[in-house]
Amino acid sequence: MKLPKNFTIGITFSGGASYGIAHIGVIKALREYGIEPDVVYGTSAGAMACVLYAGGASIREFRDFARGSKILKMVRWKYPKLGLIPLDYLENRISAYCPYENLEELPVKTYVGVTNLETGEHETLSMGNLSKAVSASCAIPVFFRPVELNGNLYVDGGVANNMPAKRLRQECDYVIGCNVVENVFVGRKSFKGFKRVMERTLTISLLNRTVVNYPDCDFIIRPTGMANRYGKFDFGKVDEMIELGYQKTLRDLPAILEGIQLRIESKYNGTQASKKSDYYERIS
């Protein structure tokens, strides 16, 4: 799709633990139709997706990254014997797959969402060491150690805001949100242990900190089907999760392309406005 030179598209990728693998399928489908964002924003798993994307990673490299065996062992659901797990391995892996050191060096403008553990506020990182920024955004409380960066202690960005979109709304003509947090009914009989209770609690919490950003997006891609098939920390079904994200985006592309065209017409010709309100009626 050809766009005017000064027409900007932004994408914000939500956190969602292993479900973030679906972001790879979303990126694949958008690329095939020539939709390349000018600005990306990621939180937690979404931070990994946006930094690798901005660094020029191919879909094959995305797959290889997601399949990394050592990181899978690191994030298995169990309480670490020696206390909170450091994220050194994740930092090293990001460095190996992204040929840039700092966020401001990336060819695509990139933001990473984090939560300041001391102030309790959501913060946006746009400069500094990108591996540190991603690990800070992924530092799930209790399981991973907070990350010290620029004199501050940070934990998972999803704690405060799981799919930030306001900054993109201010900078971009068209904003796409990609939310991999799916809310499905879970019967009482499923809560037989600590893991299931914690997974469900995490889902409820993340969902509420994601949907608040919908009004700042022009379209929301919402891959579904993972919550009923996989656990939040199930990293063994990479290809299946990518395919779910890919197929959902293909189904959404006609509406996305129409929305972009309407926004272009509105910006340059002063004609028909965006149909965002109609879209929200369909998803509410």
Side-chain angles (χ1 to χ4, degrees):
M1 182 179 188
K2 292 186 178 180
L3 299 172
K5 290 185 178 180
N6 60 342
F7 186 89
T8 58
I9 294 177
I11 299 183
T12 175
F13 298 98
S14 79
S18 63
Y19 299 167
I21 294 171
H23 290 315
I24 303 172
V26 173
I27 291 169
K28 179 185 177 184
L30 293 177
R31 277 182 173 174
E32 290 179 355
Y33 280 77
I35 299 176
E36 299 278 0
D38 305 280
V39 189
V40 290
Y41 201 139
T43 298
S44 198
M48 287 188 275
C50 78
V51 165
L52 292 177
Y53 170 83
S58 66
I59 297 302
R60 176 177 294 181
E61 288 171 325
F62 268 110
R63 288 181 190 272
D64 290 343
F65 182 89
R67 289 172 177 156
S69 59
K70 291 183 180 178
I71 195 170
L72 306 191
K73 293 179 181 179
M74 183 182 70
V75 296
R76 283 179 183 169
W77 193 287
K78 61 180 180 180
Y79 193 84
K81 295 179 180 179
L82 300 178
L84 299 176
I85 304 171
L87 284 162
D88 297 350
Y89 179 75
L90 176 58
E91 292 179 25
N92 293 335
R93 195 160 177 79
I94 288 288
S95 297
Y97 277 80
C98 184
Y100 299 90
E101 182 176 352
N102 297 307
L103 289 169
E104 65 269 25
E105 298 169 359
L106 291 166
V108 177
K109 192 171 186 179
T110 302
Y111 297 122
V112 171
V114 292
T115 301
N116 189 312
L117 188 60
E118 295 169 284
T119 67
E121 296 179 351
H122 173 266
E123 294 184 14
T124 300
L125 302 179
S126 60
M127 300 181 67
N129 186 278
L130 62 85
S131 296
K132 278 283 188 184
V134 172
S135 64
S137 187
C138 294
I140 301 172
V142 179
F143 292 94
F144 297 111
R145 292 178 187 170
V147 175
E148 185 172 356
L149 188 60
N150 303 323
N152 297 307
L153 280 180
Y154 293 110
V155 293
D156 193 305
V159 171
N161 190 339
N162 197 47
M163 196 184 74
K166 188 175 293 294
R167 181 171 293 229
L168 297 186
R169 179 78 282 156
Q170 295 168 349
E171 298 182 13
C172 302
D173 295 298
Y174 194 84
V175 179
I176 299 171
C178 185
N179 175 23
V180 296
V181 183
E182 181 184 4
N183 187 25
V184 296
F185 177 79
V186 179
R188 184 178 301 184
K189 293 181 180 179
S190 298
F191 302 120
K192 296 180 180 179
F194 171 76
K195 175 182 174 181
R196 292 293 293 153
V197 173
M198 286 299 295
E199 282 188 349
R200 181 58 174 167
T201 303
L202 178 62
T203 297
I204 295 169
S205 182
L206 287 178
L207 186 67
N208 282 284
R209 293 192 301 276
T210 302
V211 298
V212 294
N213 294 284
Y214 280 15
D216 288 314
C217 296
D218 294 295
F219 196 92
I220 317 294
I221 300 171
R222 299 185 297 170
T224 58
M226 291 180 287
N228 286 323
R229 302 182 195 180
Y230 321 112
K232 268 260 185 311
F233 296 88
D234 181 359
F235 288 82
K237 304 294 183 181
V238 170
D239 290 339
E240 294 178 17
M241 292 184 183
I242 291 175
E243 187 65 15
L244 286 171
Y246 178 72
Q247 292 298 331
K248 182 61 169 69
T249 308
L250 288 181
R251 293 193 295 272
D252 286 340
L253 269 164
I256 294 171
L257 294 171
E258 180 189 14
I260 292 174
Q261 186 59 45
L262 288 169
R263 186 57 54 83
I264 291 172
E265 293 174 359
S266 176
K267 179 175 181 177
Y268 296 100
N269 301 323
T271 57
Q272 187 177 6
S274 169
K275 292 183 178 180
K276 184 170 70 171
S277 60
D278 295 336
Y279 169 69
Y280 281 112
E281 289 179 5
R282 294 200 300 272
I283 68 170
S284 60

